[in-house]
C-alpha cells in the first residue's frame, strides 16, 4: 500500500514537472518576443526624436552632435534662431509686396531646440526629450552616436549612425518581466518560467540590433523603416 502511494506521488510529481517543462517551452519564446517588441517600440520612438533633434542641430551648426549627453542637454537648454513673419499679408498681395509696403517684416527670434524639434510631430511633448540619451532608463546603457562625413564633388556631407545592440535592447530584461513590487508568488512563477531568458542563445539569434543612420551614405533612416 505504501509502495502504491509512493508511486502515485512520484507519478504526480513527474506529471507536474513535465507540464511545467512543456508550458515553459511554449511561454519562453513568446515572452522573449513580447518584451523585445515592446522595448523596440520605445527605442524607435526615442530614435525618431533624436533624428528630429539632430536635424535641428545640423540646421543650426552644419554638423551632427556626436555625444548623446550633449544632445540631451541641447534639447533642454539649447536655442536655435528662426525667422518669423510679423504682420499680415493682405488678400491679393504677395509676401514680397507686403514686405515692400511695410505691412510685413521678418524678425529673427530664438526658441528652444526641443520646441523646434516638436514641429515635426504634433503629438510629441516636452517630456519626450527627458533622459533622451538613455536607451531605456537611467540606470541602463546610453545611445552611442557615431559621426563622420561623406565627400561629394563640392563639399563634405555630415552623417551619423546609431547602433543599439541586442544586449542594450534586452538590458535588465527581468524588470520588464517581473516588476519590483510583484508579490513573492509572482516572482517565483516568473523565475521558474522566465529565469535567464535574456541569455537564451536560441531566441537571441532570431532578433537583430536596431540601427538608424549610416556612415557610408547620406541617410538617417532606421532599419525598421
Amino acid at each position: 500500500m505504501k509502495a502504491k502511494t509512493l508511486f502515485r506521488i512520484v507519478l504526480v510529481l513527474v506529471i507536474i514537472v513535465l507540464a511545467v517543462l512543456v508550458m515553459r517551452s511554449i511561454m519562453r519564446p513568446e515572452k522573449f518576443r513580447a518584451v523585445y517588441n515592446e522595448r523596440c517600440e520605445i527605442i524607435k520612438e526615442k530614435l525618431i526624436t533624436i533624428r528630429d533633434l539632430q536635424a535641428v542641430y545640423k540646421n543650426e551648426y552644419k554638423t551632427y552632435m556626436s555625444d548623446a549627453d550633449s544632445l540631451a542637454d541641447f534639447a533642454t537648454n539649447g536655442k536655435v534662431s528662426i525667422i518669423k513673419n510679423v504682420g499680415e499679408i493682405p488678400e491679393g498681395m504677395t509676401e514680397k509686396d507686403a514686405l515692400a509696403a511695410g505691412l510685413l517684416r521678418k524678425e529673427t527670434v530664438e526658441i528652444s531646440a526641443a520646441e523646434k524639434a516638436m514641429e515635426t510631430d504634433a503629438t510629441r511633448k516636452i517630456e519626450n526629450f527627458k533622459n533622451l540619451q538613455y536607451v531605456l532608463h537611467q540606470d541602463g546603457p546610453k545611445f552611442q552616436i557615431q559621426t563622420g562625413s561623406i565627400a561629394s564633388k563640392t563639399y563634405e556631407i555630415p552623417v551619423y549612425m546609431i547602433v543599439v545592440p541586442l544586449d542594450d535592447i534586452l538590458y535588465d530584461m527581468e524588470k520588464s518581466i517581473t516588476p519590483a513590487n510583484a508579490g513573492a508568488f509572482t516572482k517565483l512563477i516568473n523565475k521558474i518560467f522566465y529565469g535567464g531568458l535574456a541569455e537564451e542563445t536560441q531566441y537571441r539569434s532570431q532578433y537583430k540590433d536596431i540601427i538608424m543612420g549610416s556612415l557610408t551614405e547620406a541617410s538617417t533612416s532606421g532599419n525598421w523603416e
Side-chain angles (χ1 to χ4, degrees):
M1 188 67 178
K2 288 183 179 180
K4 276 189 176 183
T5 302
L6 181 60
F7 175 76
R8 287 173 180 169
I9 292 172
V10 171
L11 183 60
V12 168
L13 291 175
V14 169
I15 291 171
I16 291 172
V17 170
L18 289 175
V20 168
L21 291 175
V22 169
M23 290 177 65
R24 205 170 178 269
S25 68
I26 296 171
M27 296 169 68
R28 284 173 74 81
E30 284 302 309
K31 177 61 74 172
F32 193 103
R33 180 191 60 78
V35 173
Y36 173 85
N37 288 342
E38 180 184 8
R39 289 182 166 206
C40 279
E41 288 306 309
I42 295 171
I43 294 168
K44 289 173 189 176
E45 191 65 36
K46 281 196 166 189
L47 286 173
I48 291 170
T49 301
I50 287 174
R51 179 167 61 194
D52 291 341
L53 193 60
Q54 283 279 41
V56 171
Y57 188 85
K58 177 176 176 287
N59 187 62
E60 189 77 3
Y61 299 105
K62 312 309 176 188
T63 188
Y64 287 118
M65 183 74 79
S66 60
D67 177 71
D69 284 323
S70 299
L71 189 63
D73 181 70
F74 175 67
T76 54
N77 301 311
K79 300 288 185 182
V80 296
S81 300
I82 63 167
I83 298 174
K84 62 181 292 187
N85 289 333
V86 178
E88 294 183 358
I89 304 174
E91 188 176 347
M93 185 178 286
T94 66
E95 181 179 307
K96 183 178 179 181
D97 291 337
L99 286 168
L103 300 173
L104 186 72
R105 74 176 191 276
K106 299 286 186 181
E107 185 176 294
T108 300
V109 298
E110 282 193 339
I111 63 172
S112 72
E115 186 180 351
K116 180 62 178 175
M118 284 191 287
E119 290 179 2
T120 58
D121 186 351
T123 65
R124 189 176 293 149
K125 299 178 180 179
I126 196 68
E127 290 80 11
N128 295 118
F129 296 91
K130 186 178 181 181
N131 299 322
L132 192 62
Q133 66 269 48
Y134 296 99
V135 174
L136 288 165
H137 39 73
Q138 290 187 59
D139 58 348
K142 297 178 181 180
F143 290 108
Q144 300 300 314
I145 306 174
Q146 303 173 62
T147 58
S149 62
I150 301 173
S152 71
K153 291 182 180 179
T154 54
Y155 60 93
E156 296 284 318
I157 303 172
V159 293
Y160 73 93
M161 180 171 69
I162 300 175
V163 178
V164 186
L166 188 60
D167 282 341
D168 289 358
I169 300 172
L170 301 178
Y171 177 80
D172 210 2
M173 192 178 190
E174 290 75 16
K175 281 190 175 181
S176 294
I177 298 173
T178 308
N181 60 351
F185 180 74
T186 299
K187 289 180 179 179
L188 175 61
I189 293 299
N190 285 348
K191 184 72 174 176
I192 292 171
F193 286 105
Y194 307 122
L197 186 59
E199 286 73 46
E200 286 278 11
T201 305
Q202 59 179 324
Y203 305 142
R204 292 173 65 94
S205 63
Q206 301 174 39
Y207 299 89
K208 60 183 180 180
D209 302 340
I210 299 176
I211 302 172
M212 186 178 74
S214 171
L215 295 179
T216 58
E217 56 184 87
S219 171
T220 59
S221 296
N223 63 346
W224 67 90
E225 296 175 308

